[in-house]
């Protein structure tokens, strides 16, 4: 999964065609190596997606 784009993982794993609200910007920010503390009512899926495309620790 690490070689796939966040959009591909979102579609293949969760079945969604697009991110909600600011999710894509947040995922891209974290992938580029920046830190983020995000509180959004998106459920477990958002955490999983971030971890799937990141090589760093996601808590």
């Amino acid at each position: 999964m690490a070689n796939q784009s966040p959009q591909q993982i979102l579609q293949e794993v969760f079945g969604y065609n697009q991110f909600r609200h600011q999710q894509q910007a947040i995922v891209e920010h974290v992938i580029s190596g920046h830190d983020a503390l995000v509180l959004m009512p998106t459920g477990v899926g958002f955490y999983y997606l971030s971890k799937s495309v990141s090589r760093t620790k996601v808590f």
Side-chain angles (χ1 to χ4, degrees):
M1 270 192 225
N3 294 331
Q4 294 177 301
S5 73
Q7 186 72 30
Q8 289 171 317
I9 295 171
L10 183 70
Q11 290 173 340
E12 291 178 17
V13 175
F14 300 101
Y16 295 111
N17 293 322
Q18 61 186 10
F19 287 97
R20 296 179 66 200
H21 309 291
Q22 294 296 316
Q23 289 176 333
Q24 185 169 357
I26 295 164
V27 169
E28 290 173 1
H29 180 79
V30 172
I31 290 171
S32 68
H34 297 86
D35 295 329
L37 174 62
V38 181
L39 300 175
M40 295 177 75
T42 57
V44 180
F46 185 67
Y47 166 82
Y48 181 76
L49 179 64
S50 297
K51 181 59 177 164
S52 298
V53 296
S54 174
R55 293 197 172 124
T56 60
K57 292 182 181 179
V58 177
F59 297 98

